[in-house]
Structure formats: C-alpha cells, structure tokens
Amino acid sequence: MSVRLRRIYEPPEPDDGLRVLVDRLWPRGLAKDAARVDEWPKALTPSTELRRWYHAGEGGYEEFRRRYEAELGAPEAAALLDGLRDSARGGPVTLLTASKAPGKSHAHVLLDLLRS
C-alpha cells in the first residue's frame, strides 16, 4: 500500500497516483485546474468546530488527534476512509494539504490511519 502526504502547493509528480485534497477549504491562491485534484472528500476533513478549536490554540495536537479520530468514526467518514484504503491497495494515493505543518495536522492523522 502506497500512501504519502504532500503540500498541495508542490507541483504534481507522475508517481502521485490518486491525488486527494484532504482540507475542508480550497487552498488560497491555487487554481483548481493547476492543482490536479482527483478527489475532495470533505466528509473526511475535521469539522469546522474542531478545526477552529485547534487553530485557536485551545488544545494540543494529541487532544486534536483524539477528537478527530472520533469524528472519523461517523458512518460517512468511515466509508470514505475505507474507500481510500481500497484505492491505496490498487495504486499510489497522495494526500494533499495546504497546511504549513503537515506533520501536526489532520492530514498526518489520516496518513497514519491509512498506513495502519
């Protein structure tokens, strides 16, 4: 299974495979045709409330991760996560995020869950 995480502002690469935007909001300053996004499953992204809570600095990454994993247990999100796992079994999947710190973001939580 090949899953990786990249910033969406990096140019697409031939070995990206399925390119999945995992942010709720479209990245600023990026044209949709230039991004080459294949899927944008918004139900896989953190809720607006959780995203605002985390970015306001009200809690640490581990608490954010716990809350986000709980949100991913919802039926629609769980089904989308299973679909991404299936896609990754068939070829490379690249998770795309605009986050400046992907290693401490929801995208990294998804990456870990897909690799486990």
Side-chain angles (χ1 to χ4, degrees):
M1 183 181 310
S2 174
V3 183
R4 68 180 180 167
L5 176 60
R6 297 185 63 215
R7 291 199 70 226
I8 194 161
Y9 298 108
E10 297 171 14
E13 294 182 0
D15 61 344
D16 281 348
L18 181 70
R19 292 173 51 88
V20 182
L21 177 61
V22 294
D23 292 345
R24 184 167 295 266
L25 305 174
W26 186 262
R28 291 182 187 190
L30 185 64
K32 290 188 179 183
D33 58 336
R36 285 198 32 228
V37 170
D38 297 311
E39 294 183 13
W40 188 12
K42 292 180 186 176
L44 266 183
T45 65
S47 66
T48 300
E49 297 79 16
L50 180 57
R51 185 175 47 81
R52 287 181 179 160
W53 173 85
Y54 183 53
H55 291 294
E58 295 178 26
Y61 178 72
E62 291 306 317
E63 178 62 17
F64 167 77
R65 181 182 187 99
R66 187 189 67 73
R67 291 180 184 197
Y68 180 42
E69 286 179 356
E71 287 186 355
L72 290 171
E76 184 179 6
L80 287 168
L81 195 57
D82 287 342
L84 274 182
R85 278 191 192 101
D86 290 344
S87 294
R89 287 185 190 103
V93 171
T94 300
L95 305 179
L96 302 167
T97 183
S99 174
K100 292 179 183 176
K104 290 284 186 181
S105 73
H106 68 286
H108 199 269
V109 175
L110 286 173
L111 180 67
D112 286 346
L113 291 173
L114 289 169
R115 287 180 171 172
S116 64

